[in-house]
Amino acid sequence: MAKKILVTGGAGFVGSHLCKRLLDEGNEVVCLDNLQTCSKENINELSSNPNFTFVLHDVTIPFWTRVDEIYNLACPASPIHYQFNPVKTTKTSVMGAINMLDLARDNNARILQSSTSEIYGDPMIHPQPESYWGNVNTIGIRSCYDEGKRCAETLFFDYNRQFNTKIRVIRIFNTYGPKMAENDGRVVSNFIMQALKNEDITIFGTGDQTRSFQYIDDLIDGMIKMMNNDRDFIGPVNIGNPNEFTMKELAELILKLIPESKSKIIFKDLPQDDPKQRKPVIDLAKEKLNWEPKIKLEDGLKKTIEYFREKIKK
Ligand code: NAD
Ligand code: UDP
């Protein structure tokens, strides 16, 4: 049955893919965004769909509409974006969560929080299961994002215990794909843009730190499965691809996939509190959602490189 679904942060990288998928499934979609870290270009193709509405709004301000479901994605996600106005980042996560949880409670709607692997901080346990409580520096430059997201998880579980609000919480691991902002400083978009423009590839630190990259389509499948699971499984659940790579390996793979590139790898200082390793345990997602990622890094990177190639041509 078609539903009316609110997606906050719906014009961003993940949000625009999610809005498209929900529209393709026949739903009515309200995309709420303040356009802080994205280009409205991401949702151009959706704007002619009569089931799609864009609302320019900031989640730190209460919002009312009638809805069946809410996906709460509004929050800058890349380190340079969330560190640009860190006080605002914390407000977005915390006040945004309160406003959207109030909306869900008043509508008796289901609400899914896009939490993050960052809640594990610089993890002392590897790989990271959901039962790990994390290792976050409360006063570092990443804390506005990490602590904001941790507090949002707390609010979600407290609304569930106190008001019976119907929550779902996913912890997203590094995700990449078309429609990432080319200037947001994340490693995949940086390396691809640098390689395509024959600029130096900037590895921070020694490049031995690891991440596990998931392609956007796998994330969207996991998000929708989590929202729709009727087993009362509220999470938190890791949604990520356990294939772990060092940043050096990532740079080399991207150069292999762009053979015409004249870029050289250079090394720059490692930012403060940069996690040394990250890899999800996804047993819970497999068991409860029958979900696991399908797209290999090399295949996902090829599609992403094509997207950025076209973008540069334009
Ligand atoms: P993004 O920056 O592309 O999208 C975030 C969107 O939220 C943008 O469109 C931005 O304009 C909007 N936004 C920011 N503050 C807002 C506010 N106060 N009010 C309304 N809108 C606001 O980032 P993304 O990668 O698409 O991330 C989406 C969500 O997924 C975020 O909550 C992020 O924390 C989470 N997440 C993403 C990743 C990833 O690797 N992409 C990993 C973990 C978690
Ligand atoms: N990184 C890098 N070069 C860049 C951008 C990032 O080596 O040009 C590193 C960064 O220090 C981190 C990893 O790549 O170790 C992932 O960074 P990103 O900002 O994409 O995500 P996050 O650190 O939030 O996982």
Side-chain angles (χ1 to χ4, degrees):
M1 198 182 61
K3 291 176 274 199
K4 182 173 174 192
I5 304 176
L6 177 71
V7 181
T8 78
F13 159 51
V14 177
S16 54
H17 285 273
L18 179 64
C19 287
K20 178 163 187 333
R21 212 11 219 282
L22 295 171
L23 285 168
D24 289 347
E25 289 176 0
N27 299 292
E28 186 182 341
V29 173
V30 178
C31 164
L32 181 154
D33 204 297
N34 70 352
L35 301 181
Q36 188 179 311
T37 60
C38 67
S39 155
K40 221 178 157 192
E41 239 180 71
N42 283 348
I43 49 167
N44 270 353
E45 58 171 332
L46 310 180
S47 53
S48 58
N49 188 319
N51 286 327
F52 181 75
T53 312
F54 174 73
V55 182
L56 183 65
H57 185 85
D58 195 301
V59 280
T60 59
I61 298 164
F63 178 76
W64 169 256
T65 186
R66 187 198 62 72
V67 273
D68 302 308
E69 279 175 4
I70 303 168
Y71 288 84
N72 187 37
L73 274 62
C75 185
S78 87
I80 59 165
H81 279 164
Y82 67 67
Q83 288 163 19
F84 177 70
N85 184 346
V87 173
K88 173 76 192 207
T89 298
T90 303
K91 280 187 183 168
T92 293
S93 276
V94 176
M95 293 162 71
I98 292 172
N99 289 329
M100 291 307 123
L101 282 160
D102 282 343
L103 184 63
R105 182 184 56 181
D106 294 351
N107 274 281
N108 197 26
R110 251 184 221 183
I111 179 167
L112 179 143
Q113 168 67 356
S114 56
S115 190
T116 167
S117 52
E118 277 284 322
I119 68 109
Y120 300 122
D122 190 4
M124 314 285 274
I125 287 184
H126 192 72
Q128 294 80 50
E130 291 83 352
S131 55
Y132 178 46
W133 289 357
N135 176 39
V136 173
N137 173 7
T138 57
I139 57 169
I141 55 173
R142 296 175 86 97
S143 322
C144 58
Y145 182 70
D146 302 7
E147 295 295 354
K149 288 283 188 179
R150 287 170 69 95
C151 184
E153 285 200 7
T154 307
L155 284 160
F156 269 69
F157 278 79
D158 280 337
Y159 267 71
N160 177 258
R161 284 184 285 257
Q162 201 172 332
F163 306 117
N164 244 341
T165 310
K166 296 188 245 171
I167 64 157
R168 301 282 187 266
V169 176
I170 61 170
R171 292 181 180 153
I172 304 171
F173 283 64
N174 294 66
T175 305
Y176 68 97
K179 295 191 180 174
M180 288 180 94
E182 68 259 36
N183 60 351
D184 74 1
R186 285 191 262 201
V187 70
V188 173
S189 43
N190 260 15
F191 286 1
I192 293 177
M193 286 301 285
Q194 289 164 341
L196 289 174
K197 291 160 115 182
N198 298 313
E199 293 169 357
D200 290 340
I201 306 253
T202 53
I203 289 185
F204 299 161
T206 59
D208 295 316
Q209 71 271 37
T210 68
R211 295 292 186 272
S212 306
F213 297 100
Q214 130 177 274
Y215 188 65
I216 182 69
D217 292 358
D218 284 328
L219 168 61
I220 300 297
D221 285 345
M223 278 182 131
I224 290 180
K225 280 196 163 176
M226 182 58 175
M227 176 63 103
N228 292 325
N229 91 77
D230 276 324
R231 303 172 58 182
D232 284 336
F233 173 55
I234 61 176
V237 62
N238 289 338
I239 301 287
N241 190 323
N243 280 324
E244 186 181 12
F245 295 85
T246 67
M247 294 313 99
K248 244 191 265 163
E249 288 168 334
L250 178 71
E252 281 156 10
L253 179 55
I254 287 174
L255 282 175
K256 188 186 102 181
L257 297 176
I258 308 178
E260 72 279 17
S261 176
K262 297 184 177 60
S263 297
K264 306 246 165 341
I265 292 177
I266 61 160
F267 293 86
K268 290 191 146 188
D269 288 346
L270 188 68
Q272 190 195 332
D273 293 339
D274 200 281
K276 286 182 266 314
Q277 49 185 359
R278 182 180 290 156
K279 170 181 172 162
V281 174
I282 59 163
D283 296 351
L284 200 58
K286 281 187 191 162
E287 182 206 323
K288 301 278 189 187
L289 306 175
N290 191 25
W291 173 89
E292 64 183 310
K294 297 193 175 72
I295 297 161
K296 285 205 212 91
L297 182 62
E298 186 159 336
D299 297 336
L301 284 177
K302 284 182 188 157
K303 295 181 199 217
T304 313
I305 290 167
E306 251 351 274
Y307 169 79
F308 282 118
R309 234 191 253 286
E310 287 305 308
K311 189 120 192 148
I312 290 173
K313 264 194 221 153
K314 277 186 200 155

